[in-house]
Amino acid sequence: MPTILSHPAVAIGLRRWLGVDARTAIAGALLTILPDADVIGFRFGVPYGSTFGHRGFTHSLTFALLASLAVTRRPRALAFLLICAASHGLLDAMTDGGLGVAFFSPFVKTRYFLPWRPIRVSPIGAASLARMLPVLRSELAWVWAPMLALAVIAPILRRSPRV
Ligand SMILES: [Zn+2]
């Protein structure tokens, strides 16, 4: 996984572009990190590769939809929340470690990575600063930089005439 610091960048990047209010943006930021609540399973002996293991059901598109619907039914806000929640698994699938992501859980147990995996995987639990620096550097380059750029150009994108 990227660190918990990076997933909310998606909500920041998309907020102005999709034009959602602050409360929805905060909900979206929370939904970007909610999937990693599954790490609690390690304490209870849930195997990593099981349906409810790390990067299992909580990282699926089904979970993203259910979590988003639990928050709102307003179409624009729902789209924003769905993208935020689903982005978590997408970013995890772009990392260079761990098991893949069960995007289609609980229907398909196969775990996937994207063919392009530039993000360094974050260690689970405490890690030294020396081990974290390359992780944070890759997250700055591949998550924060594009999301902040999107936040900056969002007003221009919103003003562009629709075809
Ligand atoms: Zn994750």
Side-chain angles (χ1 to χ4, degrees), residues 1 7 35-36 54-55 59 88 92:
M1 64 181 151
H7 288 289
D36 275 346
H54 185 48
R55 292 186 173 176
H59 288 57
H88 183 106
D92 278 7

Side-chain angles (χ1 to χ4, degrees), residues 68-83:
S68 301
L69 284 170
V71 176
T72 190
R73 302 292 164 95
R74 294 178 292 134
R76 182 183 295 266
L78 182 63
F80 173 78
L81 295 178
L82 183 58
I83 293 168

Side-chain angles (χ1 to χ4, degrees), residues 57 61-71 73 82:
F57 178 70
L61 297 173
T62 302
F63 179 83
L65 179 61
L66 293 175
S68 301
L69 284 170
V71 176
R73 302 292 164 95
L82 183 58

Side-chain angles (χ1 to χ4, degrees), residues 42-162:
F42 287 129
R43 274 186 170 265
F44 299 102
V46 177
Y48 192 142
S50 73
T51 298
F52 293 101
H54 185 48
R55 292 186 173 176
F57 178 70
T58 63
H59 288 57
S60 71
L61 297 173
T62 302
F63 179 83
L65 179 61
L66 293 175
S68 301
L69 284 170
V71 176
T72 190
R73 302 292 164 95
R74 294 178 292 134
R76 182 183 295 266
L78 182 63
F80 173 78
L81 295 178
L82 183 58
I83 293 168
C84 285
S87 73
H88 183 106
L90 199 64
L91 290 176
D92 278 7
M94 294 170 65
T95 63
D96 64 357
L99 296 181
V101 175
F103 285 114
F104 307 108
S105 178
F107 311 107
V108 177
K109 292 185 181 205
T110 305
R111 290 168 177 250
Y112 301 88
F113 280 110
L114 294 188
W116 184 59
R117 298 163 57 189
I119 303 172
R120 300 282 298 264
V121 72
S122 173
I124 295 172
S128 68
L129 183 61
R131 184 146 181 235
M132 289 305 297
L133 279 178
V135 174
L136 296 172
R137 202 174 306 126
S138 77
E139 291 176 3
L140 277 174
W142 300 109
V143 183
W144 278 102
M147 288 298 110
L148 291 177
L150 180 59
V152 169
I153 66 168
I156 299 165
L157 293 174
R158 286 182 60 88
R159 270 188 250 126
S160 299
R162 306 257 186 237

